[in-house]
Amino acid sequence: MATSAVLCIILGENDSAKVTLPLGIPSSVEELQSEIKRQCEVFGDFRLQYKDLDFDEFINLTSTSDIQNKGKIKVIYPPSALSTSSPGFSARTSSQDEINSISSVDTDLPLSSDSSSTSSLRSEPWPNAFPVPEFVYDVEIQLQRANSDFQSNGTLFNPNPRMKSDILETLASQIVKYKAYPSSAEFDSVAEALVKKHPCLREQGSVTGFYGWKISLKFKMGNYRTKLRNIGCSELTVNSLKRQQDDQRTSRNQVKKPKRAEVNYYPDYPTGQTKRSLEEERLALLSEVHKNNNQQVVKDKMERTFAYRRHEVIEDKPFIAEFKRRWPALFSEREVEAEFARITTVPLRSKFMQQLDHHSSKLLRIFQKKGGAAGQKIRNIMAEYDKNDAIETRRACVIKALIVYLNEDPESLIREYLDVETDQSVDQMVLGIFAIKKEVAEPTDSLADVGIVIEGVEVLNDLQNIANALAILFGLTYASDLSYPKNLRCTFEVLQKILMEMDVRHLSSKAQVLKNKLFE
């Protein structure tokens, strides 16, 4: 049995933390980095140094065998990270504030996808303001001089082909840290950030001043993807023509890439791991999941097998019954949250409830103005809202009214029964929530059980209330890579893009109209 250990983690000047390792010092530096990310809530890239007893100095950590119990570890951030903010403090503060804002949701999950034994997972979504990286030394010198000339006499700079290629290559390597397939709007944001930081590069005669840079960057990004595909990057090799020709099940035109703001859609296996070793981890996980008080071991193994699980989901597209049989540990509230955070880097229940409560008052005013048959349905639903003070019931009413407002049927998503009823229609549900009410007159919000059904299989139950069940169901659509139901497509789009604020640039007309009304 492994002996537990404690380490002093120095995060910065006057900022340190104590990290407890119940299973002892990890076997690899990557595992230790992941544990520091989880316990200290440190995001982004960093390396580690340890306090060497022989020299009494901090030395770069290359092997965890150099660490002893009660040793000191220093976190070293890249210069680019230090120039913006201190990842060791500000990120932890903001995430803690967000978690504390919803006390009714019990979650202490990390907001970053810190999968154990791997440093390849992205830790943040596409930024609001793209950070233009530092270019190679000679390029930076030329740009500094050109920017000075531009500020003094307005002279624009036309870089030679080699210098332009260096600039585009560096930008492409920065882009892929966030996503391999950026949208047109995201290329706009990169090109705009480039000419904003280096105004000498603005294009004369262009309406935006950066259109030519955007087009060049698109071509360079395509070439850069080819380079990464040739060296075996999973996210790109999955779409290679040769692979698709070898796999008869895959359409040549079917491209597997993020479509719903996934940050880690198809990650590489952790360093040093293979498909065979990860399958062994999965088999070990099957026995660990049935043990009592074993949550931490299960969590570590789920993190370690994340990439393996994603490859299975994306490539094999298993039925939910088979997927649950192979990965039973995933089908719990806590693990759905953790998986969603690994895929998107976004907290699930805390943000879902916070945003739902935040928009509720404005939604009520919008609902009151709805007329016709839909307006009458909404008023019938909101009658229960007015006579019940329970926050869980009020959230459920807002959700049902929102579905009606979007001209979709709430019963397609939420089926409610009395506990004495037996209705086999739940078995026919493709994707939805069932809520069983106790056979009592009061309170009206008393629920015997709330659960989730996918492909006719009850995958989760005892979820307390409808809002919580909907949040977990939304997380499961990502964890299992499920398409949104056609008859509820607009509802799930609003949940994703307005409530969870993921991929907000592309909205359908219905969702855009609702968003405009919410932010009037």
Side-chain angles (χ1 to χ4, degrees):
M1 182 176 179
T3 305
S4 62
V6 292
L7 297 174
C8 175
I9 308 299
I10 301 173
L11 301 167
E13 188 176 358
N14 299 322
D15 187 11
S16 60
K18 179 180 178 180
V19 167
T20 302
L21 304 169
L23 301 179
I25 294 173
S27 58
S28 68
V29 176
E30 290 80 9
E31 285 182 298
L32 179 58
Q33 286 178 316
S34 295
E35 194 63 29
I36 291 172
K37 283 184 178 182
R38 187 184 70 83
Q39 294 195 34
C40 301
E41 294 181 324
V42 178
F43 308 141
D45 296 329
F46 60 86
R47 58 187 175 88
L48 300 176
Q49 292 183 336
Y50 73 99
K51 187 68 172 289
D52 185 80
L53 300 179
D54 294 332
F55 297 99
D56 196 32
E57 293 286 347
F58 281 96
I59 296 177
N60 291 338
L61 180 65
T62 57
S63 172
T64 54
S65 62
D66 296 324
I67 307 173
Q68 297 180 355
N69 184 29
K70 299 185 179 179
K72 290 186 177 181
I73 302 294
K74 181 185 288 188
V75 175
I76 306 296
Y77 306 105
S80 58
L82 291 173
S83 63
T84 55
S85 64
S86 173
F89 176 75
S90 61
R92 291 184 290 126
T93 303
S94 61
S95 64
Q96 191 61 44
D97 289 343
E98 186 170 16
I99 292 173
N100 291 339
S101 64
I102 300 294
S103 59
S104 62
V105 180
D106 179 19
T107 175
D108 56 358
L109 293 168
L111 304 189
S112 65
S113 53
D114 54 342
S115 184
S116 180
S117 300
T118 181
S119 58
S120 63
L121 293 187
R122 299 185 178 101
S123 59
E124 54 185 326
W126 188 271
N128 293 327
F130 187 84
V132 177
E134 296 292 321
F135 301 111
V136 293
Y137 185 68
D138 61 311
V139 172
E140 281 293 333
I141 290 178
Q142 294 180 71
L143 288 177
Q144 289 174 12
R145 292 175 180 173
N147 283 329
S148 298
D149 291 342
F150 177 80
Q151 291 172 2
S152 59
N153 53 37
T155 303
L156 294 174
F157 180 60
N158 184 23
N160 60 50
R162 180 176 178 179
M163 181 178 176
K164 184 174 182 179
S165 179
D166 287 342
I167 291 173
L168 294 172
E169 184 90 6
T170 304
L171 289 173
S173 65
Q174 181 74 3
I175 288 171
V176 83
K177 292 180 181 178
Y178 298 102
K179 56 172 56 179
Y181 296 94
S183 65
S184 178
E186 287 161 344
F187 277 119
D188 277 331
S189 69
V190 178
E192 184 178 12
L194 174 65
V195 299
K196 185 176 181 180
K197 183 175 181 180
H198 300 290
C200 65
L201 296 177
R202 291 186 66 86
E203 298 165 331
Q204 192 171 13
S206 170
V207 175
T208 61
F210 54 78
Y211 181 75
W213 281 106
K214 171 187 174 179
I215 299 303
S216 298
L217 191 56
K218 279 188 172 183
F219 281 105
K220 176 60 74 172
M221 194 65 198
N223 294 335
Y224 195 72
R225 281 196 295 263
T226 300
K227 180 190 295 186
L228 294 178
R229 185 181 297 117
N230 290 337
I231 63 176
C233 177
S234 295
E235 190 174 18
L236 299 164
T237 56
V238 69
N239 293 322
S240 68
L241 182 60
K242 181 179 179 180
R243 178 188 177 116
Q244 293 180 15
Q245 288 174 337
D246 293 340
D247 187 355
Q248 299 301 320
R249 298 171 302 170
T250 305
S251 168
R252 182 175 297 184
N253 297 322
Q254 183 177 359
V255 178
K256 297 180 174 67
K257 63 181 182 179
K259 295 181 177 65
R260 300 197 304 237
E262 297 96 338
V263 176
N264 294 297
Y265 181 69
Y266 194 85
D268 290 323
Y269 290 153
T271 305
Q273 298 282 1
T274 64
K275 184 175 182 178
R276 180 175 179 178
S277 65
L278 291 172
E279 173 63 13
E280 291 174 356
E281 286 280 0
R282 185 192 70 82
L283 294 174
L285 181 60
L286 291 177
S287 61
E288 295 290 347
V289 74
H290 297 295
K291 297 179 182 178
N292 295 326
N293 302 318
N294 204 31
Q295 293 90 342
Q296 186 59 46
V297 175
V298 170
K299 181 179 182 297
D300 291 342
K301 288 187 178 295
M302 287 293 289
E303 290 175 346
R304 197 170 295 120
T305 55
F306 169 64
Y308 180 51
R309 191 162 49 254
R310 289 301 293 173
H311 285 216
E312 180 178 318
V313 167
I314 303 303
E315 283 292 287
D316 299 337
K317 300 181 176 63
F319 288 110
I320 198 69
E322 172 65 12
F323 190 50
K324 186 178 180 181
R325 184 189 67 79
R326 286 179 56 81
W327 300 97
L330 177 63
F331 292 86
S332 69
E333 294 177 70
R334 179 174 292 274
E335 284 304 327
V336 170
E337 280 192 281
E339 193 83 345
F340 185 81
R342 295 179 196 115
I343 296 169
T344 66
T345 76
V346 177
L348 180 56
R349 282 189 294 183
S350 59
K351 182 157 188 175
F352 186 95
M353 300 303 175
Q354 182 190 41
Q355 289 289 91
L356 180 62
D357 293 344
H358 173 71
H359 290 302
S360 287
S361 58
K362 197 66 176 286
L363 283 171
L364 293 179
R365 291 195 290 270
I366 294 172
F367 294 158
Q368 289 174 353
K369 298 178 182 179
K370 185 73 172 178
Q376 185 58 51
K377 288 182 181 179
I378 290 174
R379 284 188 285 275
N380 293 338
I381 292 171
M382 299 312 292
E384 186 175 0
Y385 180 99
D386 295 331
K387 66 182 181 181
N388 199 310
D389 294 330
I391 187 171
E392 292 83 4
T393 301
R394 290 193 161 197
R395 285 171 174 168
C397 291
V398 171
I399 290 168
K400 293 175 188 176
L402 175 62
I403 298 172
V404 174
Y405 182 84
L406 296 170
N407 294 323
E408 293 176 342
D409 184 6
E411 291 188 1
S412 298
L413 179 64
I414 304 165
R415 305 277 180 90
E416 295 182 296
Y417 308 99
L418 290 176
D419 56 359
V420 295
E421 293 179 338
T422 57
D423 195 315
Q424 301 301 317
S425 64
V426 171
D427 298 335
Q428 306 302 317
M429 291 179 69
V430 176
L431 185 146
I433 296 166
F434 67 86
I436 301 176
K437 293 184 176 181
K438 295 179 181 178
E439 192 185 14
V440 291
E442 295 292 341
T444 57
D445 62 318
S446 181
L447 296 175
D449 192 15
V450 180
I452 293 173
V453 174
I454 300 176
E455 297 173 1
V457 178
E458 183 180 323
V459 296
L460 271 169
N461 59 11
D462 197 23
L463 296 177
Q464 293 85 46
N465 58 78
I466 289 172
N468 183 54
L470 182 56
I472 298 301
L473 175 59
F474 182 75
L476 277 172
T477 64
Y478 278 76
S480 304
D481 195 41
L482 300 174
S483 300
Y484 296 152
K486 290 183 179 180
N487 59 339
L488 292 166
R489 183 175 295 168
C490 194
T491 295
F492 276 90
E493 180 191 9
V494 168
L495 295 180
Q496 175 197 320
K497 300 184 178 184
I498 297 180
L499 215 62
M500 298 297 289
E501 300 178 314
M502 298 164 58
D503 189 23
V504 297
R505 291 185 177 91
H506 308 285
L507 293 170
S508 66
S509 56
K510 278 186 185 180
Q512 187 64 61
V513 168
L514 177 62
K515 184 176 181 181
N516 292 342
K517 291 181 178 180
L518 283 173
F519 292 95
E520 283 179 351

